[in-house]
Amino acid sequence: MTKQKNVSTDVLDLVEISRAVGADDRLVQAGGGNTSVKSADARTMHIKASGTGLRDMSPDRGYVTMAMPPLMDLLADAQAARMPDSQREPYVLDVMYQAVTGGPDTQARPSCEATLHAMLKRYVVHIHPIAVNGIICSRDSRDLCDQLARRAGCTMAWIPYTNPGHPLALLCRDEIEKFKAANDGRIPDALFLENHGLFVSSDDKQRSVDLTRKIVDEADKLYHKARKAVADDEKRKVSVSHDDLTETVLAVRRALLEAGAETRLVQIVRDDTVRDLLQRKDAASILRINNTPDAVVYCLAYPVILPASKPQAKAARAVADFIAEHGQPPRTVLVPGHGFLVVGDSQKALATTAVVYAAQLEVVQRTLAFGGPKPFKKSQADYINNWEVEAYRRQLAKLEAGQPGPLTGKVAIVTGAGSGIGRGLATGIATAGAHVILADIDTDAADETAQLIAKRCGAARATVVMADVTNEQSMADAFRAAIEKYGAVDIAIAAAGIAPAYPIQDFPLAAFAKTLDINLTGYFLLGREAARWMIKQQTGGSLIFISSKTGLDASKNNTAYNVTKAGELHLMRGLALELGQYGIRSNAICPGNVFEGSKIWNPTYIAQAAKKRGLKPEEVIPYYISLTSLKQEIKQDDIANAAIFLASDNSRVISGQSLVVDAGQVFVR
């Protein structure tokens, strides 16, 4: 790594080892783990800060610099050791903050394991790799770790499980002192923390990384050797149909809404490991409680385990019972025959939970080759769940989810989301809190919309799906993608459209037919798919058709557009009548001329408009703005704000209506 101006070599070393470890999926899941580098005189330590993934470390982000003496004093502080948890944790955190002397952000939170890092060698790597955790979370872990250290060619200390944070640091201190007393004052190369993870330290930068990888490699070899010698237990045949899985997702989502939970996104994760585990007769006992701090922090201590027979019939009650018992929604729901569902309040939360829980399941699978999993006690799991560090992580997760809004917790699908009004709508409702399926035949353009949403919202809130609005299978697939990604469709917006302009005597039949196909058939297919899913969901919903002022007041040389935009309004009214009994509202927005980012108002169309009006091309847009009573240009955000209103509970008794957003041009009577 090239040395940067005003950045110490120690910081560059920290970045190098962090990225090397963080980029290896065998070593790190979901950004977990931490690293540190001490100065040559051992007076300062650069250490990863909480909330930064190892692979994202850089010289200008992700770490703090700490003075070593206060950390060593904290380890020797007898008063702190005697404090009850409620007093000790804030006291320890305050000492750690006081020890921060520099870094890109001196307000960043130091790793909760800073004192543990302080007592080890110069370069420290701490991770929770699946291969190693498969051993240290097993009943045979103690003897296996001795064997693992010999195979890796390193010294080690075994650390029995204790609560994380300061209690863990004190226990490690005691075990390291015992090791030093028996080994001429040397510090062990590795710490194996029961039901937790691995610490590796070295006075050589490269060895800290190489030894970490070596230990993981040898753990993998031990597992594959042990697995061959263990016969599989008798298993049940479990088969859950795709429709049953979908019904289960909808039942879970419905239960979350009925409980008033803010967390209401549900995602399907198909996982071979969990399918295999759930076929075991002892599945409920080996999976009933998670047994690593990461799994408890990101997935909670307990999953919901549904029965193999008709899980969809039991899902809602199981989720309601979980919320009643634990005071919050579950984060994982196991579905025999398929995999698991993750529950979260943001796209990032779903992704993190999915990765961490998949790792937890693989750890359990591996422990079966080593005597089976060693479960947490309830008190141990409760400590982690109530730990102050967990509260901080929840706070970070809230910030990472972006600002909430009137559509927070809702899921939308928008057709034509790659450009023009569709892009503006998708961006606007995402900014209002919704998670959005961007359905467009042009996926590159939709990807650009997703990037705009992430930038504007400060968080990922969109998923791109290729969708041809004129093809019923393509539209069915788009809605199913929404269910699998987020667990529901609450808002469906039809915005894809074209507007070929010709005098009637010159209007090509192909152009007329294509306009009918996109502007009418496309709206029909969106409405039909939305109705099917929203009726199944039993949670109501909002349909929004983007018509036009032209649907109310015909324009010259726009025969196909006039017909389709008027047709969309009557389609909307009919659906309002049909679907009201299910709590599904159907409305339309009739925009005026929206030039911003429009594919319709392209140079060719503007030239045609200029010819029709006897204007120069550059005079066209000012002319159309002059036709409005407000003399204002209509922006994408104006249309989006109307959609946010119609999609939100603020319009809960409005259905079958057309909202004209045209700066005062067409008046509905």
Side-chain angles (χ1 to χ4, degrees):
M1 180 177 291
T2 304
K3 185 172 181 179
Q4 299 187 18
K5 187 176 180 181
N6 299 327
V7 176
S8 73
T9 301
D10 290 337
V11 167
L12 296 178
D13 286 345
L14 175 68
V15 172
E16 183 178 343
I17 64 174
S18 299
R19 287 179 175 175
V21 172
D24 190 338
D25 290 338
R26 298 178 316 129
L27 308 182
V28 174
Q29 295 80 45
N34 43 57
T35 48
S36 67
V37 174
K38 300 175 186 68
S39 61
D41 62 5
R43 297 291 297 173
T44 60
M45 176 174 68
H46 308 289
I47 185 167
K48 186 184 91 78
S50 293
T52 301
L54 288 171
R55 73 177 68 199
D56 301 322
M57 185 84 74
S58 72
D60 56 4
R61 68 166 297 189
Y63 67 94
V64 292
T65 301
M66 304 181 75
M68 287 281 286
L71 299 178
M72 303 309 292
D73 290 345
L74 183 57
L75 286 168
D77 189 334
Q79 181 181 356
R82 291 192 298 269
M83 288 179 180
D85 296 341
S86 59
Q87 294 179 19
R88 184 190 64 246
E89 291 305 306
Y91 174 78
V92 168
L93 181 61
D94 182 62
V95 171
M96 287 190 178
Y97 270 123
Q98 294 298 323
V100 173
T101 61
D105 178 6
T106 55
Q107 299 304 307
R109 181 176 176 128
S111 167
C112 63
E113 290 155 332
T115 47
L116 206 165
H117 280 253
M119 68 182 85
L120 298 175
K121 298 177 187 179
R122 186 174 180 187
Y123 301 94
V124 181
V125 173
H126 170 45
I127 54 175
H128 318 121
I130 291 169
V132 174
N133 276 20
I135 290 174
I136 61 177
C137 294
S138 73
R139 296 185 183 279
D140 299 341
S141 55
R142 178 65 183 87
D143 293 338
L144 285 165
C145 286
D146 282 330
Q147 186 181 160
L148 183 54
R150 288 195 300 271
R151 291 171 67 111
C154 67
T155 58
M156 62 82 74
W158 165 257
I159 312 296
Y161 186 82
T162 193
N163 290 330
H166 198 60
L168 175 61
L170 296 181
L171 179 58
C172 287
R173 176 201 63 188
D174 295 344
E175 295 299 324
I176 289 171
E177 289 303 317
K178 290 178 188 176
F179 182 94
K180 289 166 67 175
N183 292 274
D184 300 323
R186 293 193 300 273
I187 295 172
D189 300 320
L191 303 181
F192 292 101
L193 279 59
E194 184 179 32
N195 283 81
H196 184 135
L198 169 70
F199 271 88
V200 171
S201 69
S202 175
D203 289 325
D204 179 86
K205 175 183 66 176
Q206 191 58 47
R207 177 166 165 74
S208 68
V209 176
D210 290 345
L211 181 56
T212 299
R213 288 179 172 148
K214 178 67 172 172
I215 291 171
V216 172
D217 288 342
E218 293 301 327
D220 224 13
K221 291 175 185 176
L222 274 176
Y223 168 65
H224 289 296
K225 180 180 178 182
R227 185 179 62 172
K228 291 178 182 178
V230 176
D232 284 344
D233 288 354
E234 183 182 349
K235 294 178 181 175
R236 303 165 295 176
K237 281 194 173 182
V238 178
S239 178
V240 176
S241 73
H242 195 85
D243 287 344
D244 286 350
L245 176 64
T246 301
E247 293 292 339
T248 302
V249 172
L250 300 184
V252 169
R253 178 46 156 46
R254 189 161 55 249
L256 295 170
L257 289 176
E258 289 173 354
E262 293 182 4
T263 301
R264 54 181 64 171
L265 301 179
V266 184
Q267 187 175 104
I268 296 172
V269 181
R270 289 179 173 81
D271 185 86
D272 290 338
T273 299
V274 74
R275 273 197 292 263
D276 190 52
L277 286 171
L278 284 170
Q279 289 182 43
R280 294 175 59 95
K281 290 186 175 180
D282 60 353
S285 63
I286 64 175
L287 296 175
R288 68 179 179 81
I289 185 168
N290 295 325
N291 65 344
T292 66
D294 271 356
V296 174
V297 165
Y298 295 108
C299 312
L300 301 183
Y302 307 97
V304 169
I305 305 177
L306 297 177
S309 176
K310 298 188 180 303
Q312 70 275 23
K314 310 290 176 56
R317 171 50 57 191
V319 170
D321 288 347
F322 185 99
I323 294 173
E325 181 177 356
H326 300 287
Q328 60 182 313
R331 297 204 192 149
T332 54
V333 179
L334 304 185
V335 185
H338 269 282
F340 60 95
L341 312 179
V342 292
V343 177
D345 57 7
S346 70
Q347 196 160 309
K348 183 170 183 179
L350 292 173
T352 299
T353 302
V355 169
V356 173
Y357 196 63
Q360 165 71 14
L361 293 170
E362 189 170 345
V363 165
V364 173
Q365 178 83 307
R366 285 172 176 254
T367 66
L368 298 174
F370 303 120
K374 182 181 294 181
F376 270 162
K377 297 175 183 176
K378 183 179 184 300
S379 60
Q380 293 168 334
D382 287 347
Y383 178 91
I384 296 168
N385 196 46
N386 298 319
W387 190 22
E388 185 274 336
V389 174
E390 159 65 343
Y392 175 74
R393 284 174 171 147
R394 283 194 292 260
Q395 181 184 356
L396 277 184
K398 285 285 187 187
L399 293 174
E400 289 169 348
Q403 288 296 317
L407 302 183
T408 294
K410 294 185 182 290
V411 179
I413 185 168
V414 179
T415 65
S419 63
I421 289 177
R423 171 174 285 178
L425 286 163
T427 304
I429 62 174
T431 304
H435 282 73
V436 190
I437 295 291
L438 307 175
D440 203 298
I441 201 164
D442 184 348
T443 54
D444 288 340
D447 281 333
E448 291 178 6
T449 303
Q451 293 168 21
L452 288 171
I453 287 172
K455 183 176 181 180
R456 184 162 166 178
C457 297
R461 284 184 182 164
T463 296
V464 173
V465 173
M466 199 293 292
D468 177 353
V469 297
T470 69
N471 183 288
E472 57 183 326
Q473 186 59 54
S474 181
M475 289 302 292
D477 291 345
F479 273 81
R480 187 166 287 279
I483 302 302
E484 297 211 355
K485 182 71 177 179
Y486 298 125
V489 176
D490 304 301
I491 304 158
I493 303 179
I498 59 173
Y502 299 93
I504 185 62
Q505 65 271 26
D506 299 327
F507 214 119
L509 178 59
F512 186 84
K514 184 176 181 180
T515 309
L516 290 176
D517 213 17
I518 293 173
N519 293 11
L520 268 182
T521 301
Y523 280 47
F524 161 75
L525 289 176
L526 175 127
R528 188 179 71 175
E529 287 302 316
R532 287 172 172 174
W533 284 106
M534 289 176 181
I535 290 170
K536 283 183 183 179
Q537 289 168 192
Q538 301 175 36
T539 54
S542 175
L543 304 181
I544 301 173
F545 290 171
I546 305 305
S547 180
S548 168
K549 69 177 181 61
T550 303
L552 299 164
D553 189 7
S555 60
K556 187 178 176 183
N557 293 348
N558 269 327
T559 301
Y561 195 67
N562 291 338
V563 167
T564 56
K565 290 297 157 181
E568 290 164 9
L569 293 179
H570 232 44
L571 174 63
M572 172 272 294
R573 294 172 187 131
L575 295 185
L577 291 172
E578 284 189 55
L579 301 176
Q581 61 183 311
Y582 304 107
I584 301 168
R585 298 181 294 107
S586 176
N587 292 288
I589 298 172
C590 298
N593 297 303
V594 181
F595 309 108
E596 182 183 32
S598 173
K599 280 187 177 180
I600 290 177
W601 286 93
N602 56 53
T604 300
Y605 190 83
I606 287 175
Q608 291 171 331
K611 183 178 179 180
K612 180 170 69 173
R613 300 291 182 181
L615 302 169
K616 296 177 182 178
E618 63 271 19
E619 295 173 336
V620 168
I621 290 177
Y623 168 77
Y624 278 100
I625 294 173
S626 74
L627 297 178
T628 70
S629 61
L630 293 176
K631 312 300 182 191
Q632 293 185 40
E633 181 178 350
I634 305 155
K635 296 291 191 178
Q636 289 182 4
D637 279 352
D638 297 316
I639 313 305
N641 288 335
I644 291 166
F645 168 70
L646 290 176
S648 74
D649 293 339
N650 291 329
S651 62
R652 67 184 186 87
V653 293
I654 297 176
S655 191
Q657 304 303 314
S658 302
L659 180 55
V660 184
V661 185
D662 70 349
Q665 193 171 354
V666 175
F667 303 125
V668 180
R669 294 180 175 85

